[in-house]
Amino acid sequence: MTNHLAEALGLTRTDRAERIFAEIADGRRYTYGEVDAVSNRFAAALLAMGVAPGDRVAVQVDKSIEALMLYLGAVRAGAVFLPLNTAYTPNEVAFFIEDAEPALVVCRPAAAEALAPVATRAGARLETMGVWAADGADHGTLFRHIPDEAGPVMVARGPDDLAAILYTSGTTGRSKGAMLSHDNLASNALTLVDYWRFTAADRLIHALPIYHTHGLFVASNVTLVAGGSLIWMAKFDLDAVIEALPGATAMMGVPTFYTRLLTDPRLTPERCETMRLFVAGSAPLLAETHRQFEAATGHAILERYGMTEASMITSNPYDGARRAGTVGHPLPGVALRVRDTENGAPMGAGEIGMLEVRGPNVFKGYWKLPEKTAEELSPEGWFVTGDLATIGADGYVQIVGRGKDLIISGGFNVYPKEVEGEIDRLDSVVESAVIGVPHPDFGEGVVAVVVPEAGAPRDPEAITAALAERIAKFKQPKRVIFVDALPRNTMGKVQKKALREEHAALFGA
């Protein structure tokens, strides 16, 4: 048996060893031969540190090409890669370590002191990893274990073996680890290469983080399968992206990337002359942004739809109408259906209901949560997305809402229940309701509507300051509004829809 995902990504192919895989801001040019050799050395180090096939490797480090090699090394070693958002606080990371029970935790050097006791309690080994540079400095303990050379490492893994676990919080506040198999990731990458016409000639601007599906499993995996190259950026930087556009052929980004590009007068059709594809996802793209971008560049953004549990699900066509406000058609091999939210009856064309998906991209279930898995993933393989949608007679899918009040801000999922829990713990607060409202830059802005204790000061900054050490910045409210009482129905349920309508124009979106 071969290593299914490693083979699909072409990690050991010798015919492209001299081809450039990544051009890095520090001036390095990473070849495919180096991808093979360095990922192999990382794999050898993992095995030497006692990581066995199926063991989890939890990673919270800054974006670097070496961090990507660690992911590929984990694939080669047969481990289960567990990337964690770099914005998560040690308090949040502790839960993931305790739940996933990894054999190895890799964190930034600055986080080692806070995470060491957590790793010890979980029985995990802790190593640190900074951004490597050829300056002789100590960039973390993990690099000390990377051998200068290593014999070939390729642990056999089949299509159904786990390759990764990505955590996605639920509206109850209980984070869920989505278990993704080798074939979940391989099949999706192979499909996207064909559907989006990626080839070895492509040069993709990679400004996304690599701790979630979009940057790690879409942008990186698709480029590896196609044999193209990456223009590798540590983060989105407007000037750097503008400078990279001439000579690039593709870019993947969240809507925020495109709204920020539109503010720059240097964004012109001439600057985008070599570009063939702009992809947007991870958050809803406003129709106005779609229209403005096409007017400014001559390119229609290709919007697609995906989620942690199923990677990419739908896409607007490469050839054909890329319709603003829609996410296109189901990808080849992926089936969709819309069901009535009350009785599960099939909905007809143009009718709104709960969107369900089935295909080789759909995850294997939630880590250690069999009951939750059974609720959302049927024995026939249909996954209940939690999104309300309609499918037109022409097959175009439109996401019209979310059944679980999920907020997507700047491409990141924010679950109101988690934020509300942190706010409600404050002594000055009776209760709160967290909502998402339209935001011109982030797609949705997080807003906290708070009922204070009688006589307590109504100080928004006190709320945000208290949250700063408890939750990641992208989850923190961009606005705090104080009210005497939250609107409720006759059953006592908070009416978040009414709050969203009342504050829809808060950010002028």
Side-chain angles (χ1 to χ4, degrees), residues 208-228:
L208 292 160
I210 56 170
Y211 48 71
H212 65 28
T213 297
H214 198 172
L216 187 59
F217 299 145
V218 181
S220 303
N221 283 358
V222 163
T223 302
L224 283 163
V225 171

Side-chain angles (χ1 to χ4, degrees), residues 173-505:
R174 172 68 160 90
S175 294
K176 301 172 293 185
M179 299 185 292
L180 299 164
S181 72
H182 276 242
D183 196 50
N184 288 154
L185 302 182
S187 65
N188 209 234
L190 289 165
T191 295
L192 293 174
V193 166
D194 181 63
Y195 201 77
W196 290 342
R197 313 286 176 82
F198 272 85
T199 71
D202 275 303
R203 298 179 72 240
L204 173 73
I205 296 173
H206 194 308
L208 292 160
I210 56 170
Y211 48 71
H212 65 28
T213 297
H214 198 172
L216 187 59
F217 299 145
V218 181
S220 303
N221 283 358
V222 163
T223 302
L224 283 163
V225 171
S229 62
L230 297 172
I231 301 172
W232 186 263
M233 300 180 181
K235 61 181 180 179
F236 179 85
D237 178 270
L238 181 59
D239 288 334
V241 172
I242 287 286
E243 291 176 10
L245 284 170
T249 66
M251 187 177 92
M252 297 182 190
V254 296
T256 303
F257 287 10
Y258 297 107
T259 59
R260 292 180 180 174
L261 282 169
L262 283 167
T263 67
D264 198 305
R266 293 173 292 174
L267 184 70
T268 63
E270 292 74 25
R271 185 167 288 273
C272 299
E273 189 174 358
T274 63
M275 292 293 293
R276 66 172 187 86
L277 182 63
F278 290 95
V279 177
S282 299
L285 181 74
L286 296 178
E288 183 61 22
T289 302
H290 190 285
R291 289 189 289 268
Q292 290 176 353
F293 196 85
E294 186 167 11
T297 66
H299 289 274
I301 296 172
L302 187 151
E303 188 173 8
R304 64 17 169 221
Y305 164 69
M307 59 198 320
T308 300
E309 292 92 339
S311 296
M312 297 304 99
I313 298 170
T314 73
S315 171
N316 268 274
Y318 185 83
D319 294 317
R322 300 176 188 174
R323 295 186 183 172
T326 79
V327 292
H329 301 94
L331 289 169
V334 175
L336 293 183
R337 68 185 186 187
V338 176
R339 315 281 278 189
D340 187 281
T341 56
E342 297 296 327
N343 57 30
M347 306 297 285
E351 295 182 318
I352 295 173
M354 181 61 66
L355 187 67
E356 299 183 6
V357 56
R358 182 172 68 179
N361 53 321
V362 174
F363 75 139
K364 299 303 176 185
Y366 293 114
W367 173 256
K368 297 197 298 188
L369 292 174
E371 293 182 359
K372 192 64 179 174
T373 299
E375 287 178 17
E376 300 188 15
L377 186 62
S378 77
E380 298 77 31
W382 288 101
F383 171 60
V384 180
T385 66
D387 288 325
L388 300 175
T390 177
I391 303 177
D394 55 7
Y396 279 81
V397 179
Q398 183 178 8
I399 308 299
V400 300
R402 288 181 292 278
K404 299 179 180 178
D405 291 326
L406 172 68
I407 302 167
I408 302 180
S409 183
F412 299 120
N413 289 356
V414 180
Y415 296 88
K417 195 72 175 179
E418 179 186 12
V419 184
E420 289 163 1
E422 295 295 342
I423 295 174
D424 293 350
R425 289 171 59 181
L426 302 178
D427 292 338
S428 61
V429 173
V430 175
E431 63 176 343
S432 65
V434 171
I435 58 172
V437 301
H439 191 289
D441 198 14
F442 293 93
E444 287 184 304
V446 180
V447 175
V449 183
V450 176
V451 178
E453 292 278 4
R458 299 192 172 200
D459 182 1
E461 291 184 2
I463 300 290
T464 55
L467 296 178
E469 298 300 319
R470 300 298 303 172
I471 55 176
K473 187 173 179 61
F474 68 85
K475 301 177 186 177
Q476 295 169 22
K478 291 180 169 39
R479 198 70 60 85
V480 176
I481 298 169
F482 290 96
V483 296
D484 293 329
L486 297 175
R488 282 182 158 80
N489 64 12
T490 55
M491 299 298 291
K493 182 178 180 180
V494 175
Q495 297 296 282
K496 287 191 174 182
K497 180 180 179 181
L499 289 173
R500 286 191 288 265
E501 291 173 349
E502 180 181 355
H503 301 293

